[in-house]
Amino acid sequence: MNEANTFPYRQIRARYGDETITVYQAYKPQIATYAAREGRFPDTWSRSRMTWVKPSFLWMMYRSGWATKKLQEHVLALEITRAGFDEALAGACLSHYDTSVYPDRDTWGRRLHRTTVRIQWDPERDLHLRPLEHRSLQLGLAGRATRDYADAWLVGVTDVTDLAHEIQGLVRSRDLAAASALLPAERPYELSDELAATIGATPRQSPSA
């Protein structure tokens, strides 16, 4: 299947419900085990540095090497409030200057220095972790946003490492249909036009006449 032309160039696709959205991060065993057991990050988890969350399961698999890279041996599915997620998006700035989003470099620079939330649009991945043409959101949180993420927005934590390894095994055995069936169900995340413009998402297409 050619996914390259299936999705808008920049679009958030995620597993979400009415109140929450799932994002992914990879951690060393000590942090992941505690977080999955207690439903929160340990006090030793740094709330003062930037942390990146990813709504795309396959992008997380790419980043962590199917949960095999050092200090990324466990992948967590973290359920956070949509209110918190939307708040972060509304205050975000793209990590790099983009003429399609900002009228000039000075405008981008001023926003960059006013906010502690960063947006990156990186190539989405297929089951072989190859880059696709459309982009996936990476959300960087620092300062107050990091603290809110850990202590206010987070409502559930699940260790999905075994699922990652099971899907990887199916990919290696070339059973892509079975691997696809196990992927978390991600769908387009609805954004207002204003919010889409803020984060540089591809505008919604108007219905044809």
Side-chain angles (χ1 to χ4, degrees), residues 3 8 11 18 21 35 43-44 46 55-56 69 81 89 97 111 119 125 127 134 136 142 152 158 178-179 203 207:
E3 295 185 37
Q11 181 187 59
D18 292 340
I21 181 172
D43 293 339
T44 54
S46 177
S56 167
K69 293 182 180 179
T81 65
L89 295 181
Y97 175 56
R111 185 172 181 86
I119 295 287
R125 302 284 159 165
L127 279 168
H134 56 280
S136 178
T158 304

Side-chain angles (χ1 to χ4, degrees), residues 89-121:
L89 295 181
C93 180
L94 296 186
S95 294
H96 301 92
Y97 175 56
D98 186 329
T99 57
S100 69
V101 179
Y102 306 102
D104 52 63
R105 188 174 290 274
D106 286 343
T107 301
W108 167 74
R110 288 193 297 270
R111 185 172 181 86
L112 186 71
H113 286 92
R114 284 200 310 267
T115 181
T116 57
V117 181
R118 301 286 184 268
I119 295 287
Q120 290 185 183
W121 291 100

Side-chain angles (χ1 to χ4, degrees), residues 11 22 51-52 69 75 87 92 132 137 151 171 175 178:
Q11 181 187 59
T22 298
T51 189
W52 289 86
K69 293 182 180 179
V75 172
E87 177 185 337
L132 298 169
L137 179 86
D151 301 323
V171 172
D175 192 346

Side-chain angles (χ1 to χ4, degrees), residues 54-198:
K54 305 149 187 70
S56 167
F57 179 84
L58 281 175
W59 205 96
M60 188 70 259
M61 296 304 100
Y62 162 72
R63 181 66 179 85
S64 67
W66 295 102
T68 62
K69 293 182 180 179
K70 185 177 181 180
L71 304 182
Q72 298 185 64
E73 299 94 341
H74 285 253
V75 172
L76 298 179
L78 301 124
E79 194 177 1
I80 63 174
T81 65
R82 287 182 60 178
F85 183 73
D86 289 351
E87 177 185 337
L89 295 181
C93 180
L94 296 186
S95 294
H96 301 92
Y97 175 56
D98 186 329
T99 57
S100 69
V101 179
Y102 306 102
D104 52 63
R105 188 174 290 274
D106 286 343
T107 301
W108 167 74
R110 288 193 297 270
R111 185 172 181 86
L112 186 71
H113 286 92
R114 284 200 310 267
T115 181
T116 57
V117 181
R118 301 286 184 268
I119 295 287
Q120 290 185 183
W121 291 100
D122 296 316
E124 183 58 285
R125 302 284 159 165
D126 66 11
L127 279 168
H128 298 286
L129 307 186
R130 298 172 301 200
L132 298 169
E133 290 183 9
H134 56 280
R135 295 308 195 249
S136 178
L137 179 86
Q138 321 304 322
L139 183 65
L141 307 170
R144 178 184 172 183
T146 302
R147 296 190 294 274
D148 286 344
Y149 166 63
D151 301 323
W153 304 342
L154 185 61
V155 298
V157 183
T158 304
D159 191 322
V160 293
T161 306
D162 289 344
L163 174 64
H165 292 166
E166 183 177 2
I167 295 173
Q168 182 191 29
L170 290 168
V171 172
R172 284 179 170 173
S173 65
R174 301 183 181 180
D175 192 346
L176 299 187
S180 294
L182 290 178
L183 289 174
E186 296 171 0
R187 54 196 173 99
Y189 188 76
E190 292 297 325
L191 298 169
S192 66
D193 292 340
E194 180 181 3
L195 198 51
T198 296

